[in-house]
Amino acid sequence: MTSSEDLRRWGDAATWSTGSELTPMQTLLWRAERHPVQSSTSTVVVDLDRAPDWERFVAATEWGTRLVRRLRQRVVDPVVPTAPPTWADDPTFDLGYHLRRERVADRDEVLAHAAQIALRPFDRSRPLWEAVLFEGVGEGAAYVLKIHHALADPLGTVQLLSMLQSGKRSHTPRKPIADDAAAVAADPVQLAVAGLQADLAALPEAAATTLRNLGHAAARPQSAAFSALRYAASVRRLVTRTAPASPELGPRTGRSWTFSTFDAPLEPIREVARLGGGTLDDAAVAIVLGGLQRYHARRDSPVLEIPVGVRVSLDRADDLGNRFAGAIVSGPLSIDDPVDRVAAVRGEVLSLHTERALTVLDAAAPVVNRLPSFVGASALRSAAVPDAFVLTLPGPPRRRFMAGAAVRGMYVLGPLPGAALTACLVTVADTACLGVNVDASAVADLAALEECLAEEVAAFTTTT
């Protein structure tokens, strides 16, 4: 019998990502991408307790791609950037191109293969995902999914996987299926013409709005100037490194990725976050900083702080909102106690809530998207780059299954847009799953860094 929870989640999956156009931010990342140095690709490694039956696994994936129509669609860009790219059905969709299976000797080989898969660019004329089921991982297996940010960001990817998974090991014979819908097609020339026509139609209103704004500024010139200066100062603070880059985390080429994963009980980490007056996001940042502190100590490198990219809530200061922006904070490498380190990170993040320009990239994206793609790429490259990016994502709260195989862990390995490492903590039931992507060219001793991160993850589970 199919549970009501499964039916609800599958119903949500059927309506997931149904917009016809890329958002301004998705468009900017799509057009400005220069893979792998300036990548918008994330990779997810899902550990399974057994190797699922291949035919059942293929059938489940086929069902998922029919339920979530976006998985069978590709991006179509207008010939000139007068309109955003749009989604259209891929008339040549072939599941065999996107899904395959391989055999490996152990899990280390899985991570090595996953990194190589992530480094290969997508065929941008096809749906923007590919997956591999790796068998031979002891008694278990591993599922590796590579997905483009235009299709789903890391949060959306984890949500999609969680929605499509089942709450039971046995087969569900009567899963919901998507309603038949007319094929969606798009022509690059027609998209460009339609975009130009829309611009011309909107020109009178845009001109009127501009005149009104100029009139307000002329009526209160001092107030307008002060507001503009405050916003510019906020932009300057957000795009400037808050701490110097570490000499132990460079130089970076971004062309050699190394994946590592760690896991720990979730509750002790939450307790450390609570004691430090912070959130799980703050604890994840503190874990990475603690690992880097240990690494710098091994290298006899007295670095006190490094720039760290974090996610900041735009809804409320306790980070419980649904809208976020990226920002850079100064990450301390001189605080030994995990609780004190969480408190320091919390203070840095809270200070960002007063910044007026947190959404500056979202505001600029529509304008930049009308220019040649190299302009957007140059704008992204010119922004300050932290030594590390850290984010936290909510995964499935209870045990889930993929074609009868239980999910034991889910690890997101994000791209490296100029950083030395990207770390993502995913909550899977009562487990914290930390995935770390390291620029191998930036770290002199990868094995030592992995050991230091493992030591810090263990320290967080014994602090309380």
Side-chain angles (χ1 to χ4, degrees), residues 125 144 160:
S125 68
V144 173
L160 179 60

Side-chain angles (χ1 to χ4, degrees), residues 162-229:
S162 300
M163 285 189 290
L164 291 177
Q165 291 163 356
S166 174
K168 62 178 185 177
R169 195 183 290 274
S170 59
H171 173 61
T172 302
R174 295 184 179 179
K175 291 182 178 180
I177 58 175
D179 297 330
D180 290 334
V184 177
D187 179 78
V189 175
Q190 292 178 352
L191 287 176
V193 171
L196 182 59
Q197 291 172 338
D199 285 346
L200 292 174
L203 192 58
E205 183 178 352
T209 300
T210 301
L211 289 174
R212 283 196 300 271
N213 291 337
L214 291 174
H216 292 322
R220 305 179 63 184
Q222 290 183 327
S223 175
F226 180 67
S227 179
L229 288 173

Side-chain angles (χ1 to χ4, degrees), residues 224-250:
F226 180 67
S227 179
L229 288 173
R230 286 183 62 194
Y231 192 84
S234 180
V235 171
R236 185 175 63 254
R237 287 192 296 270
L238 289 173
V239 302
T240 304
R241 281 199 188 102
T242 54
S246 168
E248 297 296 334
L249 300 175

Side-chain angles (χ1 to χ4, degrees), residues 283-293 333 388 390 421 423 434 436 453 456:
V285 176
I287 288 173
V288 174
L289 288 172
L292 290 173
Q293 178 183 6
L333 295 189
V390 185
L421 64 92
L434 180 66
V436 181
L453 288 168
E456 190 61 30

Side-chain angles (χ1 to χ4, degrees), residues 370-383:
R370 295 305 183 94
L371 304 173
S373 64
F374 73 85
V375 177
S378 299
L380 291 178
R381 282 198 301 270
S382 65

Side-chain angles (χ1 to χ4, degrees), residues 22 77 154 375 406:
L22 271 65
D77 227 340
V375 177

